[in-house]
Amino acid sequence: MAIPQHIAIIMDGNGRWAKQRGQIRVQGHKAGMESLREIVRACSDLGVGCLTVYAFSTENWKRPADEVSGIFKLLVAYVARELKELQANNVRIRLLGDVSALPEDARRAAQEAQTSTADNTGLQFNIAINYGGRAEILRAVKAIAEKAAAGELDPASLTEEDFARELYTAGLPDPDLIIRTGGEMRLSNFLTWQSAYSELYVTDTYWPDFTPAKLNEAIESYGARERRFGGIK
Ligand code: FPP
């Protein structure tokens, strides 16, 4: 089985999963956290180089305050519960997004997870939190404009590689496979720059029901694709 070097996941359907069971939405996110745990473990075991998950978008602030705070509480719980095992499995965590806007305890937990795993050499696990593809691109543009204004770079000679170095994903490969659970056929501001040639896999399965066996199905589907990157075979 050809294993994608970088898998990115839009973990959608938690709310619908909860509703189906007559539970509140945060229960769905809690179940989603359990799924996440299994999928991180599976990616580590499969030898996937890089896994990126969309945990909280720049648009998710529009949700009711109790749901927003529920998601951040889960982030704190996730780090408290999983960090030891992630360390043992040599997983390196990177945060994608503006974590400065997070509640203090969530920011601290997320940053601790990133700092304490920085020297690990196994699975690169990126958590996109308060992340938006457009915000990321705008942030890169501002950084580049500032360098240009300071005379540190010549705008005319700027390359795609230079630009990519200003993104949260600097130094990481673009996602080969983007999986979206919950059935919606859109990218929702996720990895806008990086997804240019990603293969997309959408499943109706809600995120809390997405198991390592379903991950294998997605990887098999990816393996059967012909990637041409704009060329011809
Ligand atoms: C989308 O489902 C999911 C989210 C916005 C939150 C994702 C969070 C987790 C999987 C658990 C938290 C884990 C960490 C590490 C923070 P939705 O609520 O939009 O579902 P719906 O489309 O069915 O309403």
Side-chain angles (χ1 to χ4, degrees), residues 4 8-9 13 28 68 87 91 116 134-135 158-159 170 200-201 205 209-210 217 231:
I9 308 182
V68 170
Q87 284 287 18
V91 174
S116 66
R134 288 185 175 183
L158 190 74
T159 64
L200 307 181
Y201 180 88
T205 302
D209 291 328
F210 192 79
E217 285 172 26

Side-chain angles (χ1 to χ4, degrees), residues 34-50:
E34 303 300 330
S35 261
L36 178 61
R37 183 176 182 209
E38 297 304 315
I39 295 301
V40 172
R41 206 172 283 164
C43 284
S44 208
D45 293 347
L46 285 168
V48 171
C50 191

Side-chain angles (χ1 to χ4, degrees), residues 110-132:
Q111 278 170 338
E112 186 206 342
Q114 178 169 259
T115 316
S116 66
T117 61
D119 295 329
N120 291 347
T121 54
L123 174 71
Q124 171 70 51
F125 175 33
N126 305 314
I127 308 176
I129 192 144
N130 195 21
Y131 172 88

Side-chain angles (χ1 to χ4, degrees), residues 10-18 25 28-36 53-57 60 63 67 70-72 74-76 78-79 125 127 129 180 182 184 206-207:
I10 302 174
M11 309 183 286
D12 199 13
N14 296 344
R16 282 166 284 167
W17 183 92
R25 294 178 57 82
H29 297 313
K30 193 165 175 217
M33 186 174 88
E34 303 300 330
S35 261
L36 178 61
V53 298
Y54 207 1
F56 192 86
S57 78
N60 285 152
R63 296 187 178 208
E67 182 175 350
I71 292 173
F72 289 131
L74 284 173
L75 175 66
V76 175
Y78 180 81
V79 173
F125 175 33
I127 308 176
I129 192 144
R180 180 168 188 145
E184 314 281 4
Y206 295 148
W207 175 248

Side-chain angles (χ1 to χ4, degrees), residues 217-228:
E217 285 172 26
I219 294 174
E220 270 168 30
S221 159
Y222 166 84
R225 314 262 182 103
E226 184 192 38
R227 302 184 78 193
R228 292 191 298 275

Side-chain angles (χ1 to χ4, degrees), residues 94 96 124 126 136 139 161-174 194:
R94 189 193 289 193
L96 314 183
Q124 171 70 51
N126 305 314
E136 179 186 37
R139 176 176 171 271
E161 290 71 27
D162 295 330
F163 191 83
R165 267 193 294 276
E166 299 294 340
L167 299 172
Y168 291 119
T169 50
L172 303 178
D174 287 340
Q194 300 88 338

